[in-house]
Amino acid sequence: MRGRRRRRRRGKYADHRRINRVLKSLVDETLDRLADRYAPGIATLTAAVGPLVELCWFGALVLGRECAWWIAVLLTEAPGGTVARASRWFVAAASAAVAGAVLAPTASPASARAVRAVLRRLGVRRL
């Protein structure tokens, strides 16, 4: 029984990873829509350091999907109690962190100054 479950899981994981190729083809459109709806500062950042932003966005997306996969595995193996509580906490904390990062360029003047300072340190002189 356990071996069969592992084989099924491996097949599902392969499908999960194949989806990343589809998502990679949608990075530009995703960033455009995100900028239009929630964070216009992303458009400015993308114009300044485009490929870097796209790479970071896609990397974050893949990392988030990996975390979601392993949380699902944990919840499948140990569906209740401490594992479930820790999983819910992790998802909430990670979601809040990502939302803060996405909104940072337009959230406040202080956030905008901090982003500009980081960009200056990276050698980007104009946005």
Side-chain angles (χ1 to χ4, degrees), residues 3-20:
R4 188 169 34 157
R5 186 174 4 166
R6 279 196 188 120
R7 283 191 298 281
R8 279 197 317 257
R9 185 175 290 156
R10 274 195 300 264
K12 289 177 182 178
Y13 185 66
D15 290 342
H16 175 85
R17 302 251 341 219
R18 277 191 283 276
I19 295 295
N20 289 341

Side-chain angles (χ1 to χ4, degrees), residues 4-45:
R4 188 169 34 157
R5 186 174 4 166
R6 279 196 188 120
R7 283 191 298 281
R8 279 197 317 257
R9 185 175 290 156
R10 274 195 300 264
K12 289 177 182 178
Y13 185 66
D15 290 342
H16 175 85
R17 302 251 341 219
R18 277 191 283 276
I19 295 295
N20 289 341
R21 287 193 295 270
V22 174
L23 293 172
K24 188 171 187 178
S25 72
L26 299 171
V27 167
D28 288 336
E29 182 178 342
T30 304
L31 286 170
D32 290 345
R33 286 184 182 210
L34 183 65
D36 288 346
R37 290 185 185 173
Y38 303 109
I42 289 177
T44 305
L45 190 60

Side-chain angles (χ1 to χ4, degrees), residues 5-126:
R5 186 174 4 166
R6 279 196 188 120
R7 283 191 298 281
R8 279 197 317 257
R9 185 175 290 156
R10 274 195 300 264
K12 289 177 182 178
Y13 185 66
D15 290 342
H16 175 85
R17 302 251 341 219
R18 277 191 283 276
I19 295 295
N20 289 341
R21 287 193 295 270
V22 174
L23 293 172
K24 188 171 187 178
S25 72
L26 299 171
V27 167
D28 288 336
E29 182 178 342
T30 304
L31 286 170
D32 290 345
R33 286 184 182 210
L34 183 65
D36 288 346
R37 290 185 185 173
Y38 303 109
I42 289 177
T44 305
L45 190 60
T46 301
V49 290
L52 178 61
V53 172
E54 292 168 9
L55 181 65
C56 290
W57 181 256
F58 182 66
L61 181 63
V62 169
L63 181 61
R65 287 177 45 75
E66 276 302 297
C67 288
W69 173 266
W70 291 110
I71 286 172
V73 169
L74 282 172
L75 291 174
T76 300
E77 297 295 324
T82 304
V83 171
R85 284 192 303 279
S87 297
R88 282 193 301 274
W89 175 86
F90 177 80
V91 169
S95 299
V98 169
V102 166
L103 296 175
T106 57
S108 70
S111 295
R113 282 192 301 275
V115 169
R116 284 193 300 272
V118 169
L119 291 172
R120 275 194 306 274
R121 290 195 78 167
L122 292 172
V124 177
R125 299 292 177 216
R126 283 183 38 203

